[in-house]
Amino acid sequence: MNTKYIATMASAAMLASSVAAGATELRLSHQWSTADVRHQVAQIVADEVEAANVDLEIKIFPSKSLFKPREQYKPLSRGQLDMTVFPLSYAGGQQPAYNLTLMPGLVKNHDHAARLNESAFMGQIEEIMANDDVMVLVHGYLAGGFVGKDKCITSPDDVQGQQTRAAGKAFEQMLAGAGASIASMASSEIYNAMQTGVLTAANTSSSSFVSYRIYEQVACYTPASDFALWFMYQPLLMNKSTFDGLSAEQQQALMDGAAKAEAFYLEEAKKQDANSAKIFADNGVEIAEMSQSEFDAWRALAQETSYKKFVEETPGGQDLLDMALSVD
């Protein structure tokens, strides 16, 4: 056997080994820091898979180090990315049905969100994902609330005439319908806008309210409690072909890790809301809670604004909306 042949065979063996090794490593991307609950969800799955000893490793790329936040769905669907923790409404431009996963008043509280995750509505969303070669490993919603610089916001009447920042297009539509003036900006800009008088009210997630120290600029906080308007679906997704290509043992390890992570996600989401309320109260901010009648008033307004626009813009949108609203 000549030297050239031996070298060629060695190179081929090394390449095969590299391919095999690469097949056991999954890349998971997300936009948040390693302290964030969404990173912790990903880490639970990675740790459980490692502990299962099934020749599978998940490498996590946090803090938008691999892909930009809103640009992860397309590479995931194409198999260029294996896994991501991703606010699904970010992909609403590609699949308009996903906009329903950030819709005011659609989710009442975290337990209601958990029931939605097991509903025919979510089954339909997952069918749409499957057509894009995407599947859900871990379901999860995070909640948010309102702040007011001068007054509490619990009902549609409370935002009339206010300069308001909303988290998401559907919320802007609803708040404008209530008579608010809308100022679009990132949640990281709320503090300065409140400080300079550009904003008198704002809507965003519980975690953002705390991390950006909004309690220093407001008089009242309406956190997510028994009733809340702002819930955003932020699941851990996986490329379906990648999952299907794994061994049965590897798939089971992923599913076992996902079940543990999902239970953690639900409990931590509830804790974040309660923790945010405590931090605002400790800083002298009044805490208000939304009542059933106020929630119903917001939802009635959403029906005439955000929901109506969604149905107009989305093929099959009315059926999908009805499925979601049918979940008690």
Side-chain angles (χ1 to χ4, degrees), residues 73-84:
Y73 187 81
K74 189 171 288 185
L76 181 73
S77 67
R78 293 176 175 175
Q80 298 162 343
L81 175 65
D82 301 308
M83 305 169 74
T84 180

Side-chain angles (χ1 to χ4, degrees), residues 20-182:
T24 64
E25 182 179 276
L26 303 177
R27 297 188 308 162
L28 191 161
S29 167
H30 67 70
Q31 71 190 70
W32 299 281
S33 75
T34 55
D36 191 274
V37 63
R38 288 155 287 198
H39 175 81
Q40 294 168 27
V41 166
Q43 193 64 60
I44 288 171
V45 177
D47 290 346
E48 290 297 306
V49 165
E50 182 180 12
N53 194 26
V54 290
D55 192 29
L56 184 66
E57 179 185 356
I58 298 173
K59 186 174 183 181
I60 302 174
F61 295 84
S63 305
K64 56 189 177 186
S65 57
L66 193 60
F67 290 99
K68 293 180 180 179
R70 292 181 177 271
E71 297 176 5
Q72 298 176 95
Y73 187 81
K74 189 171 288 185
L76 181 73
S77 67
R78 293 176 175 175
Q80 298 162 343
L81 175 65
D82 301 308
M83 305 169 74
T84 180
V85 187
F86 184 72
L88 192 61
S89 66
Y90 282 6
Q94 292 136 277
Q95 292 288 359
Y98 294 167
N99 288 316
L100 204 53
T101 64
L102 179 58
M103 189 65 65
L106 200 71
V107 184
K108 300 174 187 176
N109 52 49
H110 286 289
D111 291 330
H112 184 219
R115 293 192 295 274
L116 272 169
N117 289 337
E118 300 299 322
S119 70
F121 156 70
M122 188 55 69
Q124 188 63 39
I125 293 292
E126 290 186 271
E127 280 190 28
I128 296 170
M129 288 188 208
N131 290 330
D132 287 340
D133 202 23
V134 172
M135 61 179 283
V136 178
L137 274 181
V138 178
H139 292 286
Y141 274 91
L142 291 179
F146 283 105
V147 289
K149 190 170 181 65
D150 304 309
K151 60 184 287 190
C152 296
I153 297 171
T154 57
S155 74
D157 291 342
D158 296 327
V159 298
Q160 187 169 5
Q162 297 226 40
Q163 189 73 16
T164 308
R165 184 268 182 187
K169 180 177 69 173
F171 280 83
E172 291 182 347
Q173 293 164 349
M174 180 187 69
L175 291 170
S181 297
I182 305 300

Side-chain angles (χ1 to χ4, degrees), residues 108 227 290-298:
K108 300 174 187 176
F227 297 96
M290 189 179 298
S291 68
Q292 170 79 64
S293 61
E294 289 168 332
F295 176 86
D296 291 343
W298 281 113

Side-chain angles (χ1 to χ4, degrees), residues 144-218:
F146 283 105
V147 289
K149 190 170 181 65
D150 304 309
K151 60 184 287 190
C152 296
I153 297 171
T154 57
S155 74
D157 291 342
D158 296 327
V159 298
Q160 187 169 5
Q162 297 226 40
Q163 189 73 16
T164 308
R165 184 268 182 187
K169 180 177 69 173
F171 280 83
E172 291 182 347
Q173 293 164 349
M174 180 187 69
L175 291 170
S181 297
I182 305 300
S184 298
M185 64 185 72
S187 56
S188 57
E189 299 172 21
I190 293 174
Y191 186 102
N192 186 61
M194 285 277 185
Q195 190 175 46
T196 57
V198 172
L199 287 181
T200 58
N203 163 242
T204 192
S205 68
S206 302
S207 57
S208 291
F209 276 135
V210 171
S211 62
Y212 295 124
R213 303 174 68 88
I214 308 302
Y215 46 80
E216 295 179 354
Q217 296 297 327
V218 299

